[in-house]
Amino acid sequence: MFRMRNFFSALVLIFGLAVAPVAAHASPVTYNLALTNVIGNLSGGTGSFTIDDSPSGFFDTFYQNGTPGNVLADLTFSIGGNTFTLADSIGTASVNFLLGNVASINYAGFLNGNLTISLASGFMGYTYTDFFGQETSTGIITASQATPEPSTLLLFGTGALGFAAFGLRKIAA
């Protein structure tokens, strides 16, 4: 009876280790953005974007109004005292990943009829122009993941539990 209970406990643990990371993987991931001025009379800015799932392939693209698993759920950034969002975009905004790293952000937008911003494809750069205020900023964008992926935390936690169980088994023997 004792062996059968150990067998079922081990089976449940193995099933949990196999299924839990997959279930936790499909969750929103947020990245922080830093816009660093290189040319212009205005300092850079900050922002963030959220995608509905982690990039998992060689090349992944997440689109504004995309299909599940490829949705750019949120994009917001502030520069020159103005805040831009997905609602301010012209066309469809997107974020491209290469080997799990942010490769480019594609966004163009107007705000209040006189401010324009473009986050260029192919490299992590931006251009901001306030035509009436005569403020400009052109620079580079750096992106960093805001929080660890839930599946990474779950894998770490289940590994720690496994080592603890193994250690307790050795002590009990």
Side-chain angles (χ1 to χ4, degrees):
M1 170 116 173
F2 185 69
R3 288 185 188 265
M4 187 64 94
R5 188 170 37 170
N6 285 348
F7 172 76
F8 283 120
S9 296
L11 191 60
V12 168
L13 179 63
I14 290 170
F15 180 75
L17 290 174
V19 172
V22 174
H25 189 68
S27 62
V29 181
T30 300
Y31 290 80
N32 292 325
L33 301 174
L35 287 70
T36 305
N37 181 46
V38 176
I39 301 170
N41 59 357
L42 186 65
S43 63
T46 60
S48 65
F49 69 85
T50 302
I51 53 178
D52 71 334
D53 198 1
S54 298
S56 58
F58 178 77
F59 185 78
D60 294 298
T61 302
F62 292 81
Y63 299 96
Q64 176 183 3
N65 303 320
T67 57
N70 294 96
V71 175
L72 174 59
D74 185 41
L75 172 69
T76 182
F77 50 93
S78 298
I79 187 168
N82 296 291
T83 300
F84 292 84
T85 66
L86 279 178
D88 304 312
S89 69
I90 301 167
T92 301
S94 64
V95 177
N96 297 309
F97 289 82
L98 182 62
L99 298 172
N101 296 309
V102 180
S104 65
I105 301 171
N106 304 299
Y107 176 93
F110 287 109
L111 187 63
N112 302 328
N114 67 342
L115 306 170
T116 63
I117 186 143
S118 172
L119 305 175
S121 177
F123 69 97
M124 296 292 287
Y126 74 92
T127 301
Y128 169 84
T129 305
D130 179 348
F131 292 113
F132 297 119
Q134 297 182 346
E135 295 179 315
T136 63
S137 180
T138 301
I140 58 172
I141 302 169
T142 53
S144 60
Q145 194 169 347
T147 56
E149 295 179 28
S151 60
T152 302
L153 292 175
L154 187 62
L155 284 173
F156 175 76
T158 53
L161 285 174
F163 278 123
F166 184 72
L168 289 174
R169 184 173 172 205
K170 286 286 191 182
I171 291 171

